[in-house]
Short mmCIF file of all heavy atoms in Angstrom, two decimals:
data_model
loop_
_atom_site.label_atom_id
_atom_site.label_comp_id
_atom_site.label_asym_id
_atom_site.label_seq_id
_atom_site.Cartn_x
_atom_site.Cartn_y
_atom_site.Cartn_z
N MET A 175 -27.12 -2.54 3.35
CA MET A 175 -27.91 -3.49 2.56
C MET A 175 -28.86 -4.13 3.55
O MET A 175 -28.46 -4.94 4.38
CB MET A 175 -27.03 -4.57 1.93
CG MET A 175 -26.25 -4.08 0.75
SD MET A 175 -27.31 -3.69 -0.62
CE MET A 175 -26.95 -5.02 -1.68
N GLN A 176 -30.13 -3.71 3.48
CA GLN A 176 -31.15 -4.17 4.41
C GLN A 176 -31.91 -5.34 3.79
O GLN A 176 -32.48 -5.20 2.70
CB GLN A 176 -32.12 -3.03 4.74
CG GLN A 176 -33.33 -3.43 5.54
CD GLN A 176 -32.98 -3.95 6.93
OE1 GLN A 176 -32.34 -3.24 7.70
NE2 GLN A 176 -33.38 -5.17 7.24
N SER A 177 -31.92 -6.48 4.48
CA SER A 177 -32.67 -7.64 4.00
C SER A 177 -34.16 -7.39 4.15
O SER A 177 -34.62 -6.86 5.16
CB SER A 177 -32.29 -8.89 4.80
OG SER A 177 -33.19 -9.95 4.51
N LEU A 178 -34.93 -7.79 3.14
CA LEU A 178 -36.37 -7.68 3.22
C LEU A 178 -36.99 -8.95 3.78
O LEU A 178 -38.08 -8.92 4.33
CB LEU A 178 -36.97 -7.36 1.85
CG LEU A 178 -36.43 -6.08 1.20
CD1 LEU A 178 -37.15 -5.78 -0.10
CD2 LEU A 178 -36.50 -4.89 2.14
N GLN A 179 -36.28 -10.09 3.68
CA GLN A 179 -36.77 -11.34 4.26
C GLN A 179 -36.54 -11.40 5.77
O GLN A 179 -37.32 -11.98 6.49
CB GLN A 179 -36.10 -12.57 3.63
CG GLN A 179 -36.65 -12.97 2.30
CD GLN A 179 -35.82 -12.40 1.15
OE1 GLN A 179 -34.83 -11.74 1.35
NE2 GLN A 179 -36.27 -12.63 -0.05
N GLU A 180 -35.42 -10.82 6.21
CA GLU A 180 -35.04 -10.89 7.62
C GLU A 180 -34.75 -9.46 8.11
O GLU A 180 -33.63 -8.97 7.98
CB GLU A 180 -33.80 -11.78 7.77
CG GLU A 180 -33.29 -11.92 9.18
CD GLU A 180 -34.37 -12.34 10.16
OE1 GLU A 180 -34.94 -13.43 9.98
OE2 GLU A 180 -34.64 -11.57 11.10
N PRO A 181 -35.76 -8.78 8.66
CA PRO A 181 -35.60 -7.38 9.05
C PRO A 181 -34.48 -7.10 10.05
O PRO A 181 -33.98 -5.99 10.12
CB PRO A 181 -36.97 -7.03 9.65
CG PRO A 181 -37.92 -7.98 9.00
CD PRO A 181 -37.14 -9.25 8.83
N ALA A 182 -34.03 -8.12 10.79
CA ALA A 182 -32.94 -7.91 11.74
C ALA A 182 -31.57 -7.93 11.05
O ALA A 182 -30.56 -7.63 11.67
CB ALA A 182 -32.98 -8.99 12.83
N PHE A 183 -31.54 -8.26 9.75
CA PHE A 183 -30.27 -8.41 9.04
C PHE A 183 -30.03 -7.21 8.13
O PHE A 183 -30.75 -6.99 7.16
CB PHE A 183 -30.29 -9.70 8.21
CG PHE A 183 -28.98 -10.02 7.57
CD1 PHE A 183 -28.01 -10.74 8.25
CD2 PHE A 183 -28.69 -9.61 6.28
CE1 PHE A 183 -26.80 -11.05 7.66
CE2 PHE A 183 -27.48 -9.91 5.67
CZ PHE A 183 -26.53 -10.64 6.37
N ALA A 184 -29.01 -6.43 8.47
CA ALA A 184 -28.57 -5.31 7.63
C ALA A 184 -27.04 -5.29 7.65
O ALA A 184 -26.43 -5.38 8.71
CB ALA A 184 -29.13 -3.99 8.15
N MET A 185 -26.45 -5.22 6.47
CA MET A 185 -24.98 -5.21 6.35
C MET A 185 -24.52 -3.81 5.98
O MET A 185 -25.01 -3.23 5.01
CB MET A 185 -24.51 -6.12 5.22
CG MET A 185 -24.82 -7.55 5.35
SD MET A 185 -24.10 -8.49 3.95
CE MET A 185 -24.96 -7.80 2.54
N PRO A 186 -23.54 -3.27 6.72
CA PRO A 186 -22.94 -2.03 6.27
C PRO A 186 -22.09 -2.32 5.03
O PRO A 186 -21.37 -3.32 4.98
CB PRO A 186 -22.10 -1.56 7.45
CG PRO A 186 -21.92 -2.75 8.32
CD PRO A 186 -23.00 -3.73 8.00
N VAL A 187 -22.20 -1.45 4.02
CA VAL A 187 -21.44 -1.60 2.78
C VAL A 187 -20.91 -0.24 2.34
O VAL A 187 -21.40 0.81 2.79
CB VAL A 187 -22.31 -2.22 1.64
CG1 VAL A 187 -22.73 -3.64 1.98
CG2 VAL A 187 -23.52 -1.35 1.33
N MET A 188 -19.93 -0.28 1.45
CA MET A 188 -19.40 0.98 0.92
C MET A 188 -18.77 0.75 -0.45
O MET A 188 -18.48 -0.39 -0.83
CB MET A 188 -18.39 1.60 1.88
CG MET A 188 -17.08 0.86 2.00
SD MET A 188 -15.93 1.58 3.21
CE MET A 188 -15.80 3.25 2.66
N ASP A 189 -18.55 1.83 -1.15
CA ASP A 189 -17.84 1.81 -2.43
C ASP A 189 -16.36 1.55 -2.13
O ASP A 189 -15.73 2.33 -1.41
CB ASP A 189 -18.03 3.17 -3.11
CG ASP A 189 -17.31 3.28 -4.44
OD1 ASP A 189 -16.42 2.46 -4.75
OD2 ASP A 189 -17.63 4.23 -5.18
N PRO A 190 -15.78 0.49 -2.66
CA PRO A 190 -14.38 0.18 -2.36
C PRO A 190 -13.40 1.25 -2.87
O PRO A 190 -12.29 1.37 -2.34
CB PRO A 190 -14.15 -1.16 -3.05
CG PRO A 190 -15.19 -1.23 -4.12
CD PRO A 190 -16.37 -0.48 -3.58
N LEU A 191 -13.79 2.01 -3.88
CA LEU A 191 -12.88 3.02 -4.43
C LEU A 191 -12.59 4.14 -3.44
O LEU A 191 -11.59 4.84 -3.58
CB LEU A 191 -13.44 3.58 -5.74
CG LEU A 191 -13.62 2.56 -6.86
CD1 LEU A 191 -14.24 3.21 -8.09
CD2 LEU A 191 -12.32 1.87 -7.20
N ILE A 192 -13.43 4.29 -2.43
CA ILE A 192 -13.19 5.31 -1.40
C ILE A 192 -11.93 4.98 -0.61
O ILE A 192 -11.16 5.87 -0.25
CB ILE A 192 -14.40 5.43 -0.45
CG1 ILE A 192 -15.60 6.01 -1.22
CG2 ILE A 192 -14.09 6.26 0.78
CD1 ILE A 192 -16.90 5.99 -0.45
N VAL A 193 -11.69 3.70 -0.36
CA VAL A 193 -10.54 3.30 0.45
C VAL A 193 -9.42 2.65 -0.35
O VAL A 193 -8.30 2.53 0.14
CB VAL A 193 -10.97 2.36 1.60
CG1 VAL A 193 -11.85 3.11 2.58
CG2 VAL A 193 -11.66 1.12 1.09
N ARG A 194 -9.74 2.25 -1.55
CA ARG A 194 -8.73 1.62 -2.42
C ARG A 194 -9.00 2.06 -3.86
O ARG A 194 -9.65 1.36 -4.63
CB ARG A 194 -8.82 0.10 -2.25
CG ARG A 194 -7.87 -0.75 -3.04
CD ARG A 194 -6.55 -1.05 -2.34
NE ARG A 194 -5.64 -1.66 -3.29
CZ ARG A 194 -5.35 -2.95 -3.32
NH1 ARG A 194 -5.82 -3.78 -2.42
NH2 ARG A 194 -4.53 -3.41 -4.24
N PRO A 195 -8.51 3.27 -4.24
CA PRO A 195 -8.82 3.83 -5.56
C PRO A 195 -8.42 2.95 -6.74
O PRO A 195 -8.99 3.08 -7.82
CB PRO A 195 -8.04 5.15 -5.58
CG PRO A 195 -7.85 5.50 -4.14
CD PRO A 195 -7.73 4.20 -3.41
N ASP A 196 -7.48 2.03 -6.53
CA ASP A 196 -7.05 1.14 -7.62
C ASP A 196 -7.80 -0.19 -7.62
O ASP A 196 -7.43 -1.11 -8.34
CB ASP A 196 -5.54 0.90 -7.52
CG ASP A 196 -5.15 0.14 -6.25
OD1 ASP A 196 -5.94 0.11 -5.28
OD2 ASP A 196 -4.02 -0.40 -6.21
N TYR A 197 -8.87 -0.29 -6.84
CA TYR A 197 -9.62 -1.55 -6.75
C TYR A 197 -10.26 -1.89 -8.08
O TYR A 197 -11.08 -1.14 -8.60
CB TYR A 197 -10.70 -1.43 -5.66
CG TYR A 197 -11.44 -2.71 -5.37
CD1 TYR A 197 -10.81 -3.76 -4.72
CD2 TYR A 197 -12.77 -2.87 -5.71
CE1 TYR A 197 -11.48 -4.94 -4.42
CE2 TYR A 197 -13.45 -4.04 -5.42
CZ TYR A 197 -12.80 -5.07 -4.78
OH TYR A 197 -13.48 -6.23 -4.49
N ASN A 198 -9.85 -3.01 -8.66
CA ASN A 198 -10.38 -3.43 -9.95
C ASN A 198 -10.20 -4.95 -10.09
O ASN A 198 -9.39 -5.41 -10.88
CB ASN A 198 -9.66 -2.69 -11.09
CG ASN A 198 -10.33 -2.92 -12.42
OD1 ASN A 198 -11.47 -3.34 -12.50
ND2 ASN A 198 -9.58 -2.68 -13.49
N PRO A 199 -10.94 -5.71 -9.28
CA PRO A 199 -10.75 -7.16 -9.32
C PRO A 199 -11.25 -7.77 -10.63
O PRO A 199 -12.20 -7.27 -11.23
CB PRO A 199 -11.58 -7.66 -8.14
CG PRO A 199 -12.66 -6.64 -8.01
CD PRO A 199 -12.01 -5.33 -8.39
N GLU A 200 -10.60 -8.84 -11.03
CA GLU A 200 -11.07 -9.59 -12.20
C GLU A 200 -12.07 -10.61 -11.70
O GLU A 200 -11.78 -11.37 -10.78
CB GLU A 200 -9.89 -10.27 -12.88
CG GLU A 200 -8.95 -9.28 -13.52
CD GLU A 200 -8.32 -9.82 -14.79
OE1 GLU A 200 -8.75 -10.86 -15.29
OE2 GLU A 200 -7.38 -9.16 -15.25
N VAL A 201 -13.25 -10.59 -12.32
CA VAL A 201 -14.31 -11.52 -11.94
C VAL A 201 -14.70 -12.31 -13.17
O VAL A 201 -14.95 -11.74 -14.23
CB VAL A 201 -15.53 -10.74 -11.37
CG1 VAL A 201 -16.66 -11.69 -11.04
CG2 VAL A 201 -15.12 -9.94 -10.13
N ASP A 202 -14.76 -13.62 -13.01
CA ASP A 202 -15.14 -14.51 -14.10
C ASP A 202 -16.57 -14.19 -14.55
O ASP A 202 -17.48 -14.09 -13.73
CB ASP A 202 -15.05 -15.96 -13.60
CG ASP A 202 -15.28 -16.99 -14.69
OD1 ASP A 202 -15.86 -16.65 -15.74
OD2 ASP A 202 -14.87 -18.14 -14.48
N ASP A 203 -16.75 -13.99 -15.85
CA ASP A 203 -18.08 -13.67 -16.40
C ASP A 203 -19.13 -14.69 -15.99
O ASP A 203 -20.30 -14.35 -15.83
CB ASP A 203 -18.02 -13.58 -17.93
CG ASP A 203 -17.29 -12.33 -18.40
OD1 ASP A 203 -17.12 -11.40 -17.60
OD2 ASP A 203 -16.89 -12.31 -19.58
N GLU A 204 -18.72 -15.93 -15.80
CA GLU A 204 -19.66 -16.99 -15.42
C GLU A 204 -20.33 -16.67 -14.07
O GLU A 204 -21.51 -16.98 -13.87
CB GLU A 204 -18.90 -18.33 -15.34
CG GLU A 204 -19.78 -19.53 -15.10
CD GLU A 204 -20.69 -19.89 -16.27
OE1 GLU A 204 -20.44 -19.44 -17.41
OE2 GLU A 204 -21.67 -20.61 -16.04
N LEU A 205 -19.59 -16.02 -13.17
CA LEU A 205 -20.14 -15.66 -11.86
C LEU A 205 -21.19 -14.56 -11.96
O LEU A 205 -22.02 -14.39 -11.06
CB LEU A 205 -19.02 -15.22 -10.91
CG LEU A 205 -17.96 -16.26 -10.58
CD1 LEU A 205 -16.84 -15.64 -9.77
CD2 LEU A 205 -18.57 -17.44 -9.86
N LEU A 206 -21.16 -13.80 -13.06
CA LEU A 206 -22.07 -12.66 -13.22
C LEU A 206 -23.25 -12.96 -14.13
O LEU A 206 -24.11 -12.10 -14.34
CB LEU A 206 -21.29 -11.46 -13.78
CG LEU A 206 -20.07 -11.02 -12.96
CD1 LEU A 206 -19.33 -9.91 -13.69
CD2 LEU A 206 -20.48 -10.57 -11.58
N LYS A 207 -23.34 -14.18 -14.66
CA LYS A 207 -24.35 -14.48 -15.67
C LYS A 207 -25.79 -14.32 -15.17
O LYS A 207 -26.67 -14.01 -15.95
CB LYS A 207 -24.14 -15.88 -16.25
CG LYS A 207 -24.45 -17.00 -15.29
CD LYS A 207 -24.25 -18.35 -15.92
CE LYS A 207 -24.64 -19.42 -14.90
NZ LYS A 207 -24.39 -20.74 -15.35
N ASN A 208 -26.03 -14.50 -13.86
CA ASN A 208 -27.40 -14.42 -13.33
C ASN A 208 -27.90 -12.99 -13.11
O ASN A 208 -29.04 -12.81 -12.70
CB ASN A 208 -27.50 -15.19 -12.00
CG ASN A 208 -27.43 -16.67 -12.21
OD1 ASN A 208 -27.69 -17.18 -13.30
ND2 ASN A 208 -27.05 -17.39 -11.17
N ILE A 209 -27.05 -12.00 -13.38
CA ILE A 209 -27.51 -10.62 -13.14
C ILE A 209 -27.64 -9.81 -14.42
O ILE A 209 -27.75 -8.59 -14.39
CB ILE A 209 -26.65 -9.89 -12.08
CG1 ILE A 209 -25.19 -9.71 -12.52
CG2 ILE A 209 -26.71 -10.62 -10.75
CD1 ILE A 209 -24.40 -8.78 -11.62
N GLY A 210 -27.66 -10.48 -15.56
CA GLY A 210 -27.91 -9.81 -16.82
C GLY A 210 -26.67 -9.19 -17.43
O GLY A 210 -25.57 -9.28 -16.88
N GLU A 211 -26.88 -8.54 -18.56
CA GLU A 211 -25.78 -7.90 -19.26
C GLU A 211 -25.40 -6.61 -18.54
O GLU A 211 -26.24 -5.76 -18.27
CB GLU A 211 -26.19 -7.59 -20.70
CG GLU A 211 -25.04 -7.15 -21.56
CD GLU A 211 -25.44 -6.97 -23.01
OE1 GLU A 211 -26.30 -7.72 -23.50
OE2 GLU A 211 -24.88 -6.05 -23.64
N LEU A 212 -24.12 -6.49 -18.23
CA LEU A 212 -23.65 -5.33 -17.46
C LEU A 212 -23.09 -4.25 -18.38
O LEU A 212 -22.23 -4.51 -19.20
CB LEU A 212 -22.56 -5.76 -16.47
CG LEU A 212 -23.03 -6.63 -15.31
CD1 LEU A 212 -21.84 -7.21 -14.57
CD2 LEU A 212 -23.91 -5.84 -14.38
N GLN A 213 -23.60 -3.05 -18.20
CA GLN A 213 -23.06 -1.87 -18.87
C GLN A 213 -22.24 -1.10 -17.84
O GLN A 213 -22.67 -0.99 -16.69
CB GLN A 213 -24.20 -0.99 -19.40
CG GLN A 213 -25.13 -1.68 -20.38
CD GLN A 213 -24.40 -2.18 -21.62
OE1 GLN A 213 -23.49 -1.53 -22.13
NE2 GLN A 213 -24.79 -3.36 -22.09
N PRO A 214 -21.09 -0.55 -18.21
CA PRO A 214 -20.24 0.13 -17.23
C PRO A 214 -20.97 1.22 -16.42
O PRO A 214 -20.73 1.35 -15.22
CB PRO A 214 -19.12 0.75 -18.09
CG PRO A 214 -19.06 -0.13 -19.30
CD PRO A 214 -20.48 -0.60 -19.54
N ASP A 215 -21.87 1.96 -17.06
CA ASP A 215 -22.55 3.04 -16.33
C ASP A 215 -23.71 2.53 -15.47
O ASP A 215 -24.34 3.30 -14.75
CB ASP A 215 -23.02 4.14 -17.29
CG ASP A 215 -23.97 3.63 -18.35
OD1 ASP A 215 -23.96 2.42 -18.64
OD2 ASP A 215 -24.73 4.45 -18.90
N GLU A 216 -24.01 1.24 -15.53
CA GLU A 216 -25.07 0.64 -14.72
C GLU A 216 -24.51 -0.34 -13.69
O GLU A 216 -25.26 -1.03 -13.01
CB GLU A 216 -26.08 -0.08 -15.62
CG GLU A 216 -26.79 0.86 -16.57
CD GLU A 216 -27.56 0.12 -17.66
OE1 GLU A 216 -27.32 -1.09 -17.87
OE2 GLU A 216 -28.39 0.77 -18.31
N LEU A 217 -23.19 -0.38 -13.57
CA LEU A 217 -22.51 -1.30 -12.68
C LEU A 217 -22.21 -0.59 -11.36
O LEU A 217 -21.67 0.51 -11.33
CB LEU A 217 -21.20 -1.75 -13.34
CG LEU A 217 -20.27 -2.62 -12.52
CD1 LEU A 217 -20.88 -3.99 -12.31
CD2 LEU A 217 -18.93 -2.74 -13.24
N LEU A 218 -22.57 -1.25 -10.26
CA LEU A 218 -22.28 -0.73 -8.93
C LEU A 218 -21.59 -1.85 -8.16
O LEU A 218 -22.07 -2.98 -8.14
CB LEU A 218 -23.58 -0.33 -8.23
CG LEU A 218 -23.49 0.22 -6.82
CD1 LEU A 218 -22.64 1.49 -6.78
CD2 LEU A 218 -24.88 0.49 -6.27
N VAL A 219 -20.45 -1.53 -7.57
CA VAL A 219 -19.71 -2.52 -6.77
C VAL A 219 -19.64 -1.99 -5.34
O VAL A 219 -19.29 -0.83 -5.11
CB VAL A 219 -18.29 -2.75 -7.33
CG1 VAL A 219 -17.50 -3.71 -6.43
CG2 VAL A 219 -18.35 -3.29 -8.75
N MET A 220 -20.01 -2.85 -4.39
CA MET A 220 -19.96 -2.51 -2.98
C MET A 220 -19.18 -3.60 -2.26
O MET A 220 -19.13 -4.75 -2.72
CB MET A 220 -21.37 -2.42 -2.38
CG MET A 220 -22.30 -1.44 -3.09
SD MET A 220 -21.74 0.26 -3.02
CE MET A 220 -22.40 0.78 -1.49
#
Side-chain angles (χ1 to χ4, degrees):
M175 284 292 253
Q176 172 64 57
S177 169
L178 302 184
Q179 280 96 3
E180 179 52 61
F183 187 87
M185 298 183 297
V187 295
M188 71 183 305
D189 178 345
L191 298 178
I192 292 172
V193 294
R194 180 90 190 256
D196 64 342
Y197 186 70
N198 189 18
E200 292 213 12
V201 177
D202 186 340
D203 289 342
E204 187 68 19
L205 298 174
L206 304 175
K207 70 179 182 185
N208 289 338
I209 63 170
E211 190 175 326
L212 291 169
Q213 301 300 322
D215 59 337
E216 297 168 345
L217 175 69
L218 179 61
V219 176
M220 304 298 274

